[in-house]
Amino acid sequence: MALWGGRFSTGPDEAFKQFNDSLPFDYQLAEQDIVGSVAWAGALKQVDVLSSDEHKKLVAALYELLDEVKADPQAVATSGAEDIHSHVEAALIEKVGDLAKKLHTGRSRNDQVATDFRLWCRDTAAHILTALGQLKGEFIALAERELGTILPGYTHLQRAQPLLFSHWCMAYVEMIERDESRLADAKARMNFCPLGSGALAGTAYPIDRQALAVGLGFTAATKNSLDAVSDRDFVVELLSCASISMIHLSRMSEDLIFYNSGEAGFIELADNVTSGSSLMPQKKNPDALELIRGKTGRVFGAFSAMMMTLKALPLAYNKDMQEDKEGLFDAMPTWLACIHMAQACIKGIKVNGDRTLAAAKGGHSNATELADYLVAKGIPFREGHHIVGVLVQMAIAQGNNLEDLSLEQFQSVHSIFAQDVYAVLEIDACIKARQALGGTSLEQVTVAVKDAKKKQQIT
Ligand code: ARG
């Protein structure tokens, strides 16, 4: 039975019904709708719309329904009702008859859906925060395992300066920490309760909205009924958090796909996150990482779709807003699955320290050290930069590294070079020099790992 119909002479076309119904996807709000309804029944009792006896019967039936829904959530999707709110009311009528028809007193589907959806988003944000914390833990563990392993660092995909592999790991820990803080912030901001805002103007019953909000685990009640039913910022924020986090995961994927390539050979991904080729027996493809990279587009698609849907929507509720759900219901489990998969990839990584070291030693990535050496001898950096450029050209011409040039060759470019030049060109020296806060020296990375572990224990 529809929740409306009195003012209509005919029912909806089948095609329109299919177009209009949201139950095929908003059945996922069943638990939240029932929990919200239990709270609303309590509020109605307090304002004497429901007697104690009626309240008891309704709440018992709602809890019964909650058990049924939890046992078989999919069954709800096919009941033929217009949306989850209609479904719950119809199911309640089946259980307690006409009494169920009192439950919608003073309430609108507009404040109802806004409340249900916020509850869903809040719970989902909590799950994702847990998963992000676990992923961060995996990066920290890898950093500890590979604390002193040397990795070539790149800019423009050209070898730039050597890094510690652990420094690479801790870079992603920084990103995840920001993702967590953004999500926690969005979660706190969405935690206000629209229930009792009515269709748009507020409810005409003297409901204690603050108590209602706190009872549902919200921080407080929303303060403006018109905004409360029209606002979907929480959906936009969640999708924005998801998009930014997915960008990080896709950059991680890209780094690792490259490190795992035959050409680089820096790491080997575990068998449990890779797949083979139907034709080429030798292949072991980084599918998990490629899918994370690919799904980033899908999550961002949901974010931009939501922004476009809301653009220029007049206040208050418009049916356009029903389009807020499918994208989010797809994006959130996708995001969660990608976080879990990223964790599995990081967990099984085997680093080939010989290959990373050899690559870091090549590519003249100690050239900056040479310029700094000249600076220490009193030559202005810009001039030193030029001198080293000439030496790099010389090394390239003879197919060697900078440290393979003879002292005579160094001195042929500038007489200030002495035997001590070779010590600064050693790869360990390049790493050791990065002692300022946030640098890649072992000391700095060790502090970063220690701090991250401490924070991890606190949160
Ligand atoms: N299914 C609707 C949605 O998801 C519920 C709210 C309907 N409100 C209304 N006035 N038609 O947005």
Side-chain angles (χ1 to χ4, degrees):
M1 194 192 71
L3 296 182
W4 41 267
R7 64 105 58 226
F8 291 79
S9 331
T10 63
D13 277 356
E14 190 44 41
F16 169 68
K17 181 169 162 45
Q18 265 187 34
F19 190 62
N20 189 50
D21 286 1
S22 53
L23 189 65
F25 48 89
D26 71 11
Y27 76 91
Q28 294 178 72
L29 296 176
E31 284 186 31
Q32 289 76 8
D33 198 74
I34 296 169
V35 168
S37 292
V38 169
W40 188 245
L44 288 180
K45 186 186 124 200
Q46 258 157 16
V47 295
D48 296 324
V49 170
L50 293 176
S51 70
S52 284
D53 194 44
E54 288 173 327
H55 171 256
K56 217 188 270 165
K57 272 196 195 124
L58 263 183
V59 168
L62 280 165
Y63 278 126
E64 215 179 278
L65 195 57
L66 186 61
D67 287 341
E68 290 165 18
V69 159
K70 279 186 176 165
D72 190 1
Q74 294 283 342
V76 174
T78 53
S79 78
E82 180 185 333
D83 57 20
I84 188 58
H85 325 294
S86 321
H87 171 87
V88 168
E89 188 166 316
L92 218 49
I93 291 173
E94 264 185 36
K95 286 188 191 297
V96 296
D98 281 352
L99 170 59
K101 297 180 182 169
K102 285 191 170 185
L103 183 60
H104 210 54
T105 313
R107 184 175 73 169
S108 158
R109 280 185 293 168
N110 298 353
D111 59 347
Q112 204 179 345
V113 73
T115 306
D116 295 359
F117 208 21
R118 282 186 194 231
L119 286 171
W120 190 92
C121 288
R122 187 182 76 187
D123 292 351
T124 301
H127 286 138
I128 295 196
L129 278 171
T130 306
L132 284 173
Q134 288 163 350
L135 174 60
K136 200 170 64 177
E138 209 62 63
F139 268 112
I140 296 171
L142 182 59
E144 285 190 300
R145 275 203 305 283
E146 301 293 343
L147 197 61
T149 307
I150 289 174
L151 176 77
Y154 293 83
T155 61
H156 315 272
L157 265 188
Q158 306 278 317
R159 271 169 283 181
Q161 289 176 338
L163 297 172
L164 290 182
F165 192 88
S166 48
H167 199 52
W168 177 88
C169 295
M170 296 311 289
Y172 283 95
V173 168
E174 289 293 312
M175 289 175 240
I176 298 169
E177 268 181 17
R178 290 197 296 275
D179 293 336
E180 289 177 315
S181 115
R182 247 185 302 271
L183 184 55
D185 197 39
K187 181 169 172 274
R189 200 167 17 253
M190 73 177 65
N191 203 26
F192 291 84
C193 184
L195 202 56
S197 297
L200 74 165
T203 188
Y205 295 82
I207 304 282
D208 181 350
R209 290 196 54 230
Q210 209 65 292
L212 182 63
V214 171
L216 282 168
F218 286 104
T219 308
T222 53
K223 288 192 298 204
N224 179 299
S225 63
L226 182 56
D227 173 51
V229 295
S230 313
D231 169 40
R232 292 294 182 274
D233 288 3
F234 59 99
V235 183
V236 171
E237 286 196 44
L238 208 47
L239 286 168
S240 153
C241 290
S243 299
I244 298 171
S245 162
M246 287 296 297
I247 295 283
H248 296 151
L249 296 183
S250 76
R251 295 183 79 173
M252 172 212 76
S253 298
E254 179 59 21
D255 275 351
L256 292 178
I257 289 167
F258 166 59
Y259 294 168
N260 185 63
S261 67
E263 284 64 29
F266 297 165
I267 61 161
E268 192 187 336
L269 293 167
D271 286 1
N272 63 353
V273 290
T274 47
S275 81
S277 153
S278 61
L279 179 76
M280 300 166 280
Q282 83 282 12
K283 294 287 289 263
K284 181 172 157 184
N285 298 326
D287 296 44
L289 295 169
E290 289 171 352
L291 278 168
I292 293 172
R293 194 174 58 183
K295 285 174 194 292
T296 303
R298 176 166 153 187
V299 170
F300 183 79
F303 169 65
S304 62
M306 189 69 245
M307 295 285 270
M308 288 303 101
T309 300
L310 291 174
K311 177 184 175 293
L313 261 195
L315 301 188
Y317 181 83
N318 301 270
K319 202 56 173 271
D320 316 43
M321 288 162 73
Q322 182 166 283
E323 289 294 313
D324 59 3
K325 293 179 201 63
E326 283 167 289
L328 193 82
F329 285 159
D330 179 66
M332 291 300 117
T334 301
W335 183 17
L336 190 61
C338 289
I339 298 169
H340 285 146
M341 207 38 66
Q343 192 187 343
C345 290
I346 295 297
K347 193 184 176 102
I349 279 181
K350 270 215 303 265
V351 180
N352 185 341
D354 294 339
R355 288 289 288 258
T356 54
L357 181 63
K361 280 184 170 165
H364 310 103
S365 56
N366 47 2
T368 315
E369 308 315 305
L370 202 51
D372 286 339
Y373 168 88
L374 293 173
V375 168
K377 302 229 172 212
I379 293 179
F381 181 78
R382 194 49 56 216
E383 201 181 316
H385 186 283
H386 182 80
I387 294 167
V388 176
V390 174
L391 286 162
V392 167
Q393 244 188 355
M394 202 180 263
I396 290 172
Q398 68 183 53
N400 261 339
N401 293 328
L402 284 167
E403 59 272 27
D404 299 317
L405 296 174
S406 67
L407 189 55
E408 291 69 40
Q409 285 178 305
F410 278 115
Q411 286 170 343
S412 72
V413 181
H414 201 292
S415 58
I416 209 156
F417 282 110
Q419 191 61 37
D420 61 353
V421 71
Y422 292 103
V424 305
L425 288 174
E426 274 173 30
I427 196 136
D428 289 341
C430 302
I431 300 280
K432 207 171 168 41
R434 277 24 197 206
Q435 288 289 349
L437 178 77
T440 196
S441 68
L442 190 60
E443 293 77 0
Q444 284 299 318
V445 179
T446 305
V447 168
V449 169
K450 218 173 91 203
D451 285 353
K453 281 178 82 170
K454 203 151 81 197
K455 258 202 219 159
Q456 191 81 329
Q457 276 153 12
I458 297 166
T459 51

